[in-house]
Amino acid sequence: MMIDDLALARAIHVLALVHWIGGVAVVTTIVLPGARKLPNAKDAVAAFEGFEQRFASQARISILLAGLSGAYMLTKLDAWNRFQYASFWWLDLMVAVWTLFALMVYVLEPLAIHRLFHEFALRSKDRAFAMAIGLHTVALIISAFAIGAGVLGAHGGLP
Ligand code: HEM
């Protein structure tokens, strides 16, 4: 039996999302709040960075796979013109979420954010962690919404 390459791309897409957004959920709801509770700023930063650095290098792979498999499906479905139609807003949302994370993980974080957060957290632990938790929470909510909309949209569940 021939492997259905569209189905394979879909499976890779979903697996990559599970790894990537699942990791974001762990960072947001477990790692950051746990690190914030540590009394010493140096320990808090080390606890967060120990997880975050490892996860970021894995997420660089899953984000790449999510993007490549998404682009492959668009090509295979001959669906690039969907971006012209408002009814495919869920596809625009996917690309917007992807672009936001890709910019962060491949460009901004290694270039500046990592150093800026490190310095900010050593100076003002509670404020820095409150800000990081807030921003991660917003990103997580938008990503979860994109996943829900993506499943509904891809399976004809949206008007
Ligand atoms: C460059 C980025 C992306 C592209 C080009 C892309 C493209 C696609 C395409 C073409 C489909 C199949 C649609 C169909 O079968 O009609 C799909 C499915 C899906 N995408 Fe994306 N996507 C991208 C990123 C994302 C992101 C960031 C998320 C969520 C955070 C996401 C969530 C989903 C979900 C949940 C499905 C439905 C899977 C299923 O149940 O079959 N995608 N995507």
Side-chain angles (χ1 to χ4, degrees):
M1 198 182 108
M2 289 280 286
I3 296 180
D4 179 346
D5 53 348
L6 184 63
L8 191 64
R10 195 181 292 276
I12 291 171
H13 200 62
V14 172
L15 273 175
L17 292 170
V18 168
H19 174 266
W20 158 22
I21 307 298
V24 175
V26 173
V27 174
T28 309
T29 62
I30 299 170
V31 178
L32 278 167
R36 184 192 186 175
K37 278 203 193 113
L38 296 173
N40 182 285
K42 259 190 177 171
D43 294 341
V45 171
F48 169 57
E49 286 178 352
F51 183 95
E52 211 272 340
Q53 288 302 96
R54 279 187 170 187
F55 176 62
S57 47
Q58 293 180 16
R60 283 187 195 105
I61 298 170
S62 45
I63 292 172
L64 179 69
L65 288 175
L68 288 177
S69 52
Y72 185 82
M73 283 191 282
L74 281 179
T75 306
K76 206 64 195 173
L77 291 165
D78 196 13
W80 287 95
N81 63 348
R82 285 183 182 178
F83 291 107
Q84 296 168 15
Y85 305 104
S87 59
F88 285 103
W89 59 270
W90 48 273
L91 206 54
D92 296 304
L93 181 63
M94 283 180 204
V95 176
V97 168
W98 187 88
T99 307
L100 190 81
F101 274 93
L103 201 67
M104 196 68 183
V105 163
Y106 298 118
V107 185
L108 298 178
E109 207 266 341
L111 277 187
I113 303 275
H114 178 78
R115 182 177 47 82
L116 291 175
F117 179 77
H118 186 98
E119 290 165 5
F120 184 25
L122 289 182
R123 253 186 293 120
S124 179
K125 174 178 74 81
D126 284 329
R127 280 180 54 211
F129 275 90
M131 189 193 72
I133 291 170
L135 291 175
H136 276 79
T137 302
V138 172
L140 181 61
I141 290 170
I142 296 171
S143 307
F145 183 73
I147 291 175
V151 172
L152 288 171
H155 298 281
L158 288 175

